[in-house]
Amino acid sequence: MTMHKVLVLHGPNLNLLGTRQPEIYGDETLADIDNALRERAAQAGWEIACRQSNHEGELIDAIHAARLDGTDAIIINPAAYTHTSVAILDALNAFDGRVIEVHLSNVHKREAFRHHSYVSLRADGVIAGLGSQGYHAALEALIAAG
C-alpha cells in the first residue's frame, strides 16, 4: 500500500486561532486543528505535515519542498495572502499534486476585497465557512480520492 503524504499550510495570523476574533474564527487553537488532522490521517494510514507561517516566503518554500519530497496534496489556508499573493499562486502552479483551499470563515459574506482569491485559480477544490471542519472535509476528500 502506498503511503499518501499531505502538507497542511496555514497562513498569517492563524497562529492566533482561539484568541483572535473567536466570533469569526471559533475558539479552537491551531494546535487543536493540527492534532485532529494528524489523528485522522494516521487512522487512514496517511502521513501529514502541518506548518504555519506569517511569512509569505516561508509558505512558498514549503510548497517548493513539497514538489520534491513526495507530497501528494496540499491543503492550504493562505489567510490574507489569499487575496494578494500571486507568488503563492505561482508556487502552487508548479506543484503537480492536488490542492484544496480552505477558509474558516465564509469569505463571500465579508469585506469585498476578500471575495477574490488568487489561490482559487489553482485549487482543485475550495471550502469556506465551515470553521475547522473545512480542514477535515478537505482531508476526507483527499482520502476518498485515494
Side-chain angles (χ1 to χ4, degrees), residues 107-126:
V107 293
H108 303 289
K109 286 181 70 174
R110 298 184 64 194
E111 304 93 336
F113 73 86
R114 295 187 194 274
H115 298 177
H116 180 265
S117 168
Y118 284 103
V119 172
S120 291
L121 296 171
R122 168 56 180 92
D124 298 297
V126 179

Side-chain angles (χ1 to χ4, degrees), residues 2-6 45-48 70 72 146:
T2 302
M3 170 72 76
H4 293 281
K5 188 172 181 180
V6 178
W46 285 43
E47 181 180 340
I48 195 164
D72 298 295

Side-chain angles (χ1 to χ4, degrees), residues 1 3 7-8 13 20-21 23-25 40 69-70 78 83 97 103-104 108 111 119 121 128 133 138-139 144:
M1 180 169 100
M3 170 72 76
L7 173 63
V8 179
N13 300 309
R20 174 186 173 225
Q21 297 176 284
E23 69 281 4
I24 294 174
Y25 300 109
R40 175 60 184 119
D69 70 5
H83 323 293
H103 298 283
L104 296 164
H108 303 289
E111 304 93 336
V119 172
L121 296 171
Q133 289 304 307
L139 182 58

